[in-house]
């Protein structure tokens, strides 16, 4: 039986991918942990509309962007799978520990971590995303029935103890990639919105380089979550902790982004602060490249302009990039890549770019040690 799932890195030739679906999204409540995620200028929007649908035009445009991405990928010879639509209406998610109106965005990369032939469902940490894995279950089960491995990491309870309730609101005002952030702010000072009461992680805080996987302690991933992945994947994979100068780290895929064997993009606003990791890349003669700042004109409710580097490699030559990011497109041409522009900025409002909204299922290439 041919294994339907196999991917070890972010750049081997892509054969099959999941593209997220946005239908059924509703405005999440501005819970404590979401304040470290949503830009302050939008807090009132989330306070006033929690549980309601987003403006229909906003959803339609994002859905069209996702459909368009599917077509572009298919034109490049990639098989695309989509999760089915869900209709949870304005239903409230209720567990023994909390209740909250839902969210369900399209960012499958945060929810599923594919390592080799295994699909790991991330336990997440934001209450509005508690049930998000359910959207992918029919697809994941199908892959499992065809021979893939399927693991659900211990589901985070998201009880009150998971959150640092004294986390200063003024620290939440700093946004990812802002200049001039004092060293005393939250994560820069070792303080995060999530505690260590139980393991939690989002899949997008892990970046795969064959046998080596980088892991970031962030607002949504804690040290226990990293330990869970580390011990689960040992001894076949080595997990390395990495830190960046980021006052609100959430996901690594607009911060440290490999584009092929030997080359990684580093966000100029969020330099790597881990000497051991930098040394590991230097020793293996990897080139660290600094892309230009994003320029897309879009509503960034939950992310920064650096979604420009949240790209998707079809192989180590073809890079799918947002069509309005002209400086980034030029940059890719200059370093010898073949950019494939796709109009995707209408999806940015829901927090994710081209990498966030997708999840590799199969890339052709062996498991290797690059370091
Ligand atoms: O730059 O705001 C975006 C990554 C979201 N999944 C940023 C990080």
């Amino acid at each position: 039986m041919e294994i339907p799932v196999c991917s070890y890195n972010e750049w081997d030739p892509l054969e099959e991918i999941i593209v997220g679906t946005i239908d059924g999204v509703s405005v999440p409540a501005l819970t404590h942990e979401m304040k470290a995620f949503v830009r302050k200028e939008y807090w009132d929007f989330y306070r006033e509309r929690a549980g309601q649908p987003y403006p229909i035009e906003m959803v339609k445009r994002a859905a069209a962007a996702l459909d368009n991405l599917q077509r572009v990928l298919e034109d490049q010879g990639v098989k695309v799978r989509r999760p089915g639509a869900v209709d949870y209406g304005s239903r409230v998610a209720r567990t023994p520990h909390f209740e909250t109106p839902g969210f369900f965005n399209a960012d499958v990369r945060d929810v599923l971590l594919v390592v080799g032939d295994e699909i790991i469902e991330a336990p997440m940490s934001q209450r509005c995303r508690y049930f998000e894995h359910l959207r992918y279950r029919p697809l994941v089960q199908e892959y499992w029935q065809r021979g893939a491995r399927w693991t659900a990491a211990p589901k985070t309870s998201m009880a009150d103890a998971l959150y640092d309730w004294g986390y200063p609101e003024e620290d939440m005002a700093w946004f990812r990639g802002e200049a001039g952030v004092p060293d005393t702010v939250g994560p820069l000072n070792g303080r995060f919105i999530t505690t260590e009461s139980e393991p939690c992680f989002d899949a997008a805080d892990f970046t795969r380089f064959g046998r080596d996987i980088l892991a970031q302690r962030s607002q949504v991933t804690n040290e226990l979550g990293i330990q869970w992945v580390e011990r689960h994947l040992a001894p076949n994979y080595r997990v390395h902790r990495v830190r960046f100068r980021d006052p609100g780290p959430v996901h690594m895929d607009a911060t440290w982004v490999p584009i092929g064997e030997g080359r990684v993009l580093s966000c100029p606003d969020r330099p790597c602060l881990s000497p051991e990791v930098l040394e590991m890349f230097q020793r293996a003669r990897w080139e660290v490249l600094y892309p230009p700042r994003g320029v897309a004109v879009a509503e960034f409710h939950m992310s920064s302009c650096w979604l420009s580097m949240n790209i998707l490699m079809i192989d180590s030559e073809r890079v799918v990039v947002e069509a309005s990011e002209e400086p980034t497109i030029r940059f890719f041409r200059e370093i010898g890549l073949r950019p494939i522009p796709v109009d995707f900025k209408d999806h940015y409002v829901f927090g994710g770019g081209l990498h966030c909204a997708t999840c590799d299922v199969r890339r052709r290439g062996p498991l290797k040690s690059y370091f």
Side-chain angles (χ1 to χ4, degrees):
M1 181 161 56
E2 207 191 311
I3 301 295
V5 174
C6 189
S7 173
Y8 298 110
N9 62 35
E10 307 285 341
W11 63 83
D12 272 344
L14 183 63
E15 293 180 340
E16 183 167 337
I17 196 161
I18 300 172
V19 170
T21 298
I22 196 73
D23 328 357
V25 67
S26 60
V27 179
L30 190 74
T31 46
H32 184 61
E33 77 284 5
M34 285 298 278
K35 288 184 184 164
F37 188 58
V38 176
R39 275 177 188 273
K40 211 163 194 171
E41 59 263 42
Y42 293 104
W43 283 11
D44 283 340
F45 177 94
Y46 288 83
R47 280 198 184 101
E48 285 156 18
R49 295 176 185 240
Q52 294 172 30
Y54 277 90
I56 185 70
E57 279 310 312
M58 209 185 226
V59 180
K60 273 194 186 152
R61 282 198 302 265
L66 289 157
D67 291 347
N68 182 43
L69 173 61
Q70 171 173 1
R71 271 192 301 276
V72 169
L73 289 169
E74 284 170 347
D75 284 349
Q76 296 295 320
V78 178
K79 180 171 178 187
V80 175
R81 301 296 306 272
R82 305 289 300 271
V86 286
D87 183 11
Y88 294 96
S90 56
R91 222 169 286 173
V92 166
R94 193 172 283 127
T95 82
H97 298 285
F98 66 87
E99 58 176 69
T100 183
F103 181 36
F104 286 101
N105 71 25
D107 293 339
V108 54
R109 188 74 62 173
D110 307 344
V111 186
L112 302 180
L113 178 61
V114 170
V115 180
D117 65 349
E118 182 174 16
I119 304 175
I120 301 173
E121 292 176 7
M124 316 302 285
S125 69
Q126 292 164 328
R127 288 177 168 176
C128 61
R129 304 189 76 176
Y130 187 87
F131 288 114
E132 205 166 296
H133 61 289
L134 294 180
R135 170 170 249 167
Y136 305 106
R137 273 279 167 93
L139 262 181
V140 172
Q141 183 175 325
E142 181 208 304
Y143 286 127
W144 173 73
Q145 284 179 287
R146 288 166 50 205
R149 287 187 298 144
W150 172 17
T151 303
K155 186 73 199 168
T156 319
S157 78
M158 305 187 195
D160 284 353
L162 182 63
Y163 308 106
D164 177 351
W165 296 90
Y167 191 96
E169 243 176 47
E170 57 281 14
D171 286 4
M172 298 174 183
W174 291 101
F175 210 73
R176 304 195 271 286
E178 265 177 58
V181 185
D183 281 333
T184 50
V185 164
L188 294 177
N189 193 25
R191 186 169 184 174
F192 295 86
I193 199 86
T194 44
T195 67
E196 295 290 341
S197 67
E198 57 180 328
C200 68
F201 66 88
D202 276 15
D205 275 318
F206 296 83
T207 306
R208 304 160 308 144
F209 298 79
R211 292 234 180 244
D212 295 278
I213 296 178
L214 296 197
Q216 167 179 246
R217 170 55 162 126
S218 76
Q219 300 287 36
V220 295
T221 294
N222 64 12
E223 169 54 30
L224 289 180
I226 296 173
Q227 271 180 38
W228 186 88
V229 174
E230 181 174 44
R231 286 164 59 182
H232 179 73
L233 294 176
N236 294 327
Y237 299 88
R238 298 174 287 262
V239 170
H240 307 266
R241 286 146 181 82
V242 60
R243 275 187 68 220
F244 301 93
R245 193 184 149 73
D246 187 343
V250 176
H251 308 151
M252 212 188 302
D253 51 357
T255 299
W256 189 261
V257 176
I259 53 171
E261 178 171 352
R263 294 210 284 192
V264 64
L265 304 181
S266 173
C267 176
D269 281 347
R270 307 168 187 153
C272 178
L273 299 180
S274 302
E276 0 29 280
V277 170
L278 286 169
E279 223 178 272
M280 178 172 116
F281 280 77
Q282 265 157 21
R283 235 184 301 120
R285 298 186 189 285
W286 276 57
E287 204 181 340
V288 179
L289 299 159
Y290 298 91
R293 180 178 298 275
V295 295
V297 179
E299 273 189 80
F300 295 95
H301 283 207
M302 308 174 190
S303 50
S304 73
C305 71
W306 290 108
L307 287 184
S308 56
M309 58 182 284
N310 188 262
I311 46 88
L312 177 71
M313 301 306 296
I314 295 187
D315 50 35
S316 45
E317 215 176 273
R318 287 175 292 170
V319 53
V320 186
V321 54
E322 210 292 312
S324 58
E325 299 291 1
E326 281 166 23
T328 307
I329 292 173
R330 268 199 305 277
F331 164 84
F332 282 135
R333 280 210 188 95
E334 278 159 22
I335 62 168
L337 297 187
R338 189 143 66 83
I340 298 169
V342 49
D343 192 346
F344 202 68
K345 57 189 178 311
D346 286 337
H347 186 258
Y348 285 4
V349 60
F350 295 105
L354 293 153
H355 192 262
C356 302
T358 55
C359 174
D360 307 5
V361 173
R362 234 172 33 254
R363 288 185 184 268
R364 199 171 56 248
L367 175 57
K368 278 172 68 173
S369 247
Y370 299 98
F371 300 102

